[in-house]
Amino acid sequence: MKTLASYYFLFYLAMSVLMPYTSLYFSERGYSSTTVGLILSLWALVSIVAQPIMGMINDRINNPRKILMICAIAAPVLGMGFQFVDGMVGIIVLSVFFAWFQSSAGPIGDSMAVEIASKKGYSFGSIRLWGALSYAIGTFATGIIYNKFGYNNIFIYYLIICTTVCIVIMFFPGAKVTRSKISIYGQMGAVIRNKPFMIFVVTSMLMMMSASINMNFLPLYFKEMGFNKSWIGSAFAIAALIEVPMFWVATKLSRKIGRYQLLCVAAAIYGVQYFAMFIFSNVTLTLVVQLLNGIAYAFVAGTAVEVVQSYATKGTNATLQTIYAAVTAGLGGIIGNTLGGIIIDRMGGQFLYLILFCLCIASSLLFMVNRHHQHHQQSISG
C-alpha cells in the first residue's frame, strides 16, 4: 500500500503543476480562448482512442508496471516540445503524442490500484486520498510560483516530478505476462454489449464534462472577472485539500446509501457550485465554493472506479476503466472544451457556469433514473 500511496502522491503532484494551468499557458502565448479550447479538445480526442487501446493492451499482457513506466517517461519528454514549438502544426503534432501517453496513465493506474485494494481488503479511496493531498499542496504552491515567475516553464516542472514517478514505478511488483484468449475486437465487443455499463458511462459524461470545463477554464474565468491570478492555485488547492477527508467519507456513504445515490448527490453538489459562480462575481465566494468542488470530486473519484469494476468480467478491468475515462474525460472534454472556449469568447465566463449547472442537474436526475431502472431489473431477475 505504501508504494501505491507514494505513486498516487507523486503522480497527482505532477498533474497539479501542469493540468490546471495549460489554458493560461497557451492563452499567455497569444492564443484566443477558442483556440485554447480546440487544443485541449484535441488532447481529449486523442485520449478517446489512446485510453481504450492502452487498456486492452494492458489486459492482454497483464503488465501495468511496464505500461505506466512508458507513459511516465514519454509524456513529460514530449511535453517539453511545447517549450520550443510555436506554430499550430507543431503544437497539433505534439498534442497527439503527448496526450496519448499522458491520458493513459491515470485509468491504468486506477485499474491496478482498485484490483490490489479489493484483494488486500482496503478501499480504493484510502489510496486515492494521497493523490488529493499532493494535488492540494502542488496547486497551492504553483499558484504562487507561477504568478510570480509566469507560466512558461510548466512543462519543465512536470518533467522533474515525473522523474520521481518513474522511480516509484520501479518498486512495483512485476507481473507475469499472460495472453488473453479473447481478441482485442472480442474485448471491445464485450464492452459494447454491456448496456448497463454504457448507460452509466454516458450519464457520467455529462457530470465529468462540467468538471473538466471548470478545471480548464477556471483560470480564464479569473482573468475575465479581474480576480488576482495568484489565487488560482489556491482555488484548486482548496478543492483538493477537502478531497482528502472526503475520500474517507465517500467510502462510508457509499456503503450506507449506495453508489448510484452518492453519484447523484455529487452531481447536485457540482451544480450548486456552478450556480453560485454564475450568480455572484466575488473572488472570496469563488474560493469558498471550491470546497463543494472538492467534495463532489472525492465522491465521484472514490465511487465511479468501483462502479466500473463491478461491471468488469475477467480480463476486462483495465479495458472498462480506460473506456470510462475515454468517454467521460475524452469525449466529454472534446465537447466541453470546444464549447467552453466559444462560450467564453462570445457570452462570457459567468454564462458558461450556467451551462455547467444545467449539465450537472441533468446528470443527477439521470443517475436517479438509472438506479431505479437497475433496481427494477434486479427485482425481475430475482
Side-chain angles (χ1 to χ4, degrees), residues 113-130:
V114 74
E115 187 171 348
I116 292 175
S118 63
K119 290 179 179 179
K120 298 293 184 179
Y122 47 82
S123 68
F124 170 73
S126 65
I127 302 171
R128 180 60 178 79
L129 64 83
W130 290 98

Side-chain angles (χ1 to χ4, degrees), residues 154-197:
I154 63 174
F155 286 97
I156 295 176
Y157 299 129
Y158 179 62
L159 175 65
I160 292 171
I161 299 176
C162 281
T163 302
T164 65
V165 174
C166 292
I167 295 173
V168 173
I169 293 174
M170 292 173 63
F171 289 94
F172 285 168
K176 182 181 179 180
V177 177
T178 58
R179 298 292 178 183
S180 173
K181 295 180 180 180
I182 306 174
S183 67
I184 286 183
Y185 291 108
Q187 285 176 283
M188 184 60 71
V191 170
I192 294 174
R193 290 191 296 271
N194 194 335
K195 291 183 180 179
F197 169 72

